[in-house]
Amino acid sequence: MPPPPTDRTRVRRGVWMFPGIVAGALVDAVVAAEEYGLDEVWIADEGVARDPVPVLAAAAGRTSTIRLATGITSPVLRHPGAIAASAATLDELSGGRAVVGLGVGGELTLGPFGLGSDRPVALLRDAVDVIRAVHRGTAVPGYAPPSHATPPREVPMWIGARGPQLVRLAARVADGLFLSGCSPGQHESIIDNASSVGSVATAIYQTAVDRPTSPGELDWDDAHRMLVDAADRFAPASIGLNLVQLSTPGTDPVPLVERAAGLLGDV
């Protein structure tokens, strides 16, 4: 069963951003998110779009409290060792605010290269093992720490997933489960599935647009109501809004961040 309701004042609030606008504007959006009182920001890794790690690294120098997460990056496209090193470097630059968001990746990320995976659970399990080993300075099959490796540091790792096997994997090996664009019914089913393996923190993010065109999108008011309900029913570690409008070049992200922060402040 889902966890009991908890004090919503302790739930982190944030935004997820599509990296479809110029990098400097994305950095400004992260800075604005902190100024508007948000606790975390996730930037997607969509392959050949703007790279989230340099953007987050640039934002690290202009912020002091907000958590900086890749949301998500794929070991199909990036070697787990490179993911680990990038995350450790970002964590060092930001004073311990980095989060690794890990997942298989979708068509926008992998399609241009003709990539995919027919063993997603094994892929992510092995990637988690390598990333943890790099961050802890330990050896695992396929990795032996060299003398020039980054010093050990614990960087939280969250898995973005919906399918039953990947959700259970997240509950077993990750620090959290990132759920994005799901319906309330999906939330209950996914969280029950994760709970069958063990306790895992969840981040529930909903896509908010002015004119929804797909099942995963809601208008802003409906997205707000869904997050209020999700915060009460599922006691997530964090909640947020997906700013998919940033897939359109030239979009000003700061008003969207301000709008999201205003709604989330009432959740």
Side-chain angles (χ1 to χ4, degrees), residues 240-251:
L241 291 166
N242 298 330
L243 305 183
V244 296
Q245 299 94 323
L246 300 186
S247 61
T248 303
T251 301

Side-chain angles (χ1 to χ4, degrees), residues 17-165:
M17 294 189 280
F18 190 96
I21 59 174
V22 297
L26 287 168
V27 174
D28 290 342
V30 178
V31 174
E34 180 172 284
E35 291 174 347
Y36 290 128
L38 295 177
D39 305 298
E40 61 186 33
V41 61
W42 302 71
I43 299 182
D45 182 357
E46 298 295 358
V48 292
R50 276 78 176 183
D51 190 313
V53 175
V55 170
L56 293 169
R62 295 175 54 191
T63 57
S64 59
T65 61
I66 197 164
R67 285 163 49 114
L68 307 169
T70 55
I72 58 174
T73 195
S74 171
V76 177
L77 195 60
R78 302 179 190 270
H79 190 280
I83 293 173
S86 293
T89 304
L90 176 61
D91 200 58
E92 191 173 70
L93 284 169
S94 65
R97 292 184 282 134
V99 178
V100 178
L102 195 66
V104 176
E107 177 63 24
L108 291 180
T109 305
L110 306 180
F113 303 100
L115 296 173
S117 175
D118 57 1
R119 300 175 60 248
V121 176
L123 170 80
L124 287 187
R125 184 185 61 240
D126 292 346
V128 169
D129 287 345
V130 171
I131 293 169
R132 296 277 197 217
V134 173
H135 286 169
R136 293 171 180 171
T138 58
V140 294
Y143 174 70
S147 60
H148 62 271
T150 60
R153 58 190 311 120
E154 290 292 331
V155 182
M157 193 182 326
W158 291 57
I159 288 178
R162 294 187 188 181
Q165 290 184 328

